[in-house]
């Protein structure tokens, strides 16, 4: 992606039903209030805000005892898959404002369809405290926001949400960074399917830069497209408290910025999710502002570009 020439389309996804608690539906509004559009425009990008998706619950989907709120999550999945595909296939950059992480069932699936059409492999960089590789058969909670990675890899098939035979993501092309909360069965599934996991110990031992060089070199060598999915809980909750599933010991402010800056330098990123922001749990908009700053780094801003207050 050449961020200066690729038009950016903001897609609001006020989805909270995948998480099991209220509040994430306010995330898109909070990100807009925090200045996501203005920030990117000031960096020289062409930005269109397409508004929020508001699909009608999918009446054709069944009530699922182990995949809660499937009718509404399925409807959002379908609508977002189509929207992301349309934006990407027309040469744009889909920037998804969430919303809980179940939305990635739609965003990644839309990018997978686009990648298949242009004949390039799709890679996913999953910045999250959780692996989200559960399925209805393995999930302890039944909350779908813990299933999107398994879903878009074809390992958590929820029949009827998207067409059978849809393009999938190879699990070995998924890179998960910052992981620190994984269910026991989920750990077995990740290992079995070859997902690349760099947990917080890996970050401590190897350093963010070395890990990101491995990821970016792999994507570049394959001439791949790269979808980035940034969950607020990737960050330490002291930095970004506005999330419903806080896990201590997350990435620092500088580690996260370095990741986004290296992604920007690579020009490999094709699409971005910003997810799990729950303004109801936030501290006066702190987490929303941090997410906007992270997005700004991906789109070309450097820390030294920001004015600092004189002492």
């Amino acid at each position: 992606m050449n961020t200066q020439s690729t038009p950016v389309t903001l897609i609001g996804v006020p989805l909270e039903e995948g998480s099991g608690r209220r509040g994430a539906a306010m995330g898109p509004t909070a990100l807009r209030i925090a200045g996501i559009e203005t920030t990117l425009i000031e960096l020289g990008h062409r930005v269109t805000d397409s508004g929020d998706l508001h699909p009608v619950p999918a009446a054709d989907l069944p009530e699922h005892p182990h995949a809660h709120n499937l009718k509404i999550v399925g409807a959002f999945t379908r609508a977002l898959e189509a929207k992301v595909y349309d934006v990407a296939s027309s040469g744009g950059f889909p920037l998804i404002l969430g919303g809980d992480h179940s939305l990635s069932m739609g965003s990644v699936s839309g990018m997978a369809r686009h990648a298949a059409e242009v004949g390039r492999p799709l890679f996913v960089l999953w910045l999250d405290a959780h692996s989200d590789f559960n399925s209805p058969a393995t999930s302890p909670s039944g909350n779908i926001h813990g299933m999107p990675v398994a879903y878009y890899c074809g390992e958590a098939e929820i029949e009827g949400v998207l067409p059978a035979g849809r393009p999938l993501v190879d699990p070995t092309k998924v890179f998960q960074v910052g992981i620190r909360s994984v269910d026991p069965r989920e750990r077995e599934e990740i290992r079995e399917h070859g997902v690349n996991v760099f947990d917080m110990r890996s970050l401590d031992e190897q350093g963010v830069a070395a890990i990101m060089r491995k990821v970016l070199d792999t994507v570049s060598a394959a001439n791949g497209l790269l979808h980035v999915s940034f969950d607020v809980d990737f960050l330490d909750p002291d930095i970004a408290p506005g999330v419903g599933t806080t896990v201590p010991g997350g990435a620092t402010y500088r580690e996260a910025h370095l990741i986004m800056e290296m992604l920007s330098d690579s020009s490999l990123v094709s699409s971005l999710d910003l997810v799990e922001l729950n303004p109801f749990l936030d501290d006066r908009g702190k987490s929303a502002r941090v997410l906007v700053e992270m997005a700004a780094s991906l789109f070309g801003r450097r820390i030294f570009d920001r004015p600092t207050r004189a002492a």
Side-chain angles (χ1 to χ4, degrees), residues 141-181:
S141 68
N143 293 328
I144 301 178
H145 76 158
M147 306 180 193
V149 182
Y151 180 81
Y152 62 66
C153 289
E155 301 301 331
E157 187 57 46
I158 305 172
E159 187 174 353
V161 175
L162 291 175
R166 72 186 192 278
L168 301 173
V169 178
D170 181 343
T172 65
K173 291 181 171 59
V174 177
F175 293 88
Q176 300 193 325
V177 177
I179 304 300
R180 55 195 189 276
S181 178

Side-chain angles (χ1 to χ4, degrees), residues 30-31 33-34 232 235-243 253 277-294:
L31 288 166
I33 292 171
V232 181
L235 298 162
D236 191 87
D238 286 344
I239 301 169
V243 62
Y253 186 82
L277 174 63
N278 188 328
F280 184 75
L281 302 173
D282 203 4
D283 178 9
R284 293 172 292 180
K286 177 180 180 181
S287 303
R289 291 194 300 273
V290 168
L291 269 187
V292 170
E293 290 170 359
M294 295 299 161

Side-chain angles (χ1 to χ4, degrees), residues 120-244:
R120 298 173 66 184
L122 179 66
F123 292 78
V124 178
L125 177 62
W126 197 256
L127 303 173
D128 198 334
H130 306 87
S131 287
D132 294 340
F133 207 88
N134 275 306
S135 68
T138 65
S139 173
S141 68
N143 293 328
I144 301 178
H145 76 158
M147 306 180 193
V149 182
Y151 180 81
Y152 62 66
C153 289
E155 301 301 331
E157 187 57 46
I158 305 172
E159 187 174 353
V161 175
L162 291 175
R166 72 186 192 278
L168 301 173
V169 178
D170 181 343
T172 65
K173 291 181 171 59
V174 177
F175 293 88
Q176 300 193 325
V177 177
I179 304 300
R180 55 195 189 276
S181 178
V182 185
D183 297 319
R185 178 70 183 276
E186 197 179 14
R187 185 175 291 110
E188 297 173 6
E189 294 287 330
I190 291 166
R191 187 179 299 115
E192 177 184 337
H193 291 97
V195 177
N196 303 281
V197 178
F198 297 94
D199 60 10
M200 286 307 299
R201 177 171 175 172
S202 298
L203 263 68
D204 293 340
E205 292 182 344
Q206 301 179 43
V208 164
I211 290 171
M212 286 303 300
R213 279 193 288 269
K214 292 177 185 177
V215 173
L216 295 172
D217 287 349
T218 302
V219 178
S220 180
N223 189 32
L225 301 177
L226 179 60
H227 177 88
V228 177
S229 198
F230 193 115
D231 188 314
V232 181
D233 70 22
F234 168 70
L235 298 162
D236 191 87
D238 286 344
I239 301 169
V243 62

Side-chain angles (χ1 to χ4, degrees), residues 100-109 126 148 152 227 229 273 275:
D100 73 61
H101 224 156
S102 64
L103 68 80
S104 294
M105 291 167 56
S107 61
V108 178
S109 294
W126 197 256
Y152 62 66
H227 177 88
S229 198
D273 300 330
V275 304

Side-chain angles (χ1 to χ4, degrees), residues 87-105:
V87 171
S89 61
S90 65
F93 184 105
L95 200 171
I96 296 91
L97 312 177
D100 73 61
H101 224 156
S102 64
L103 68 80
S104 294
M105 291 167 56

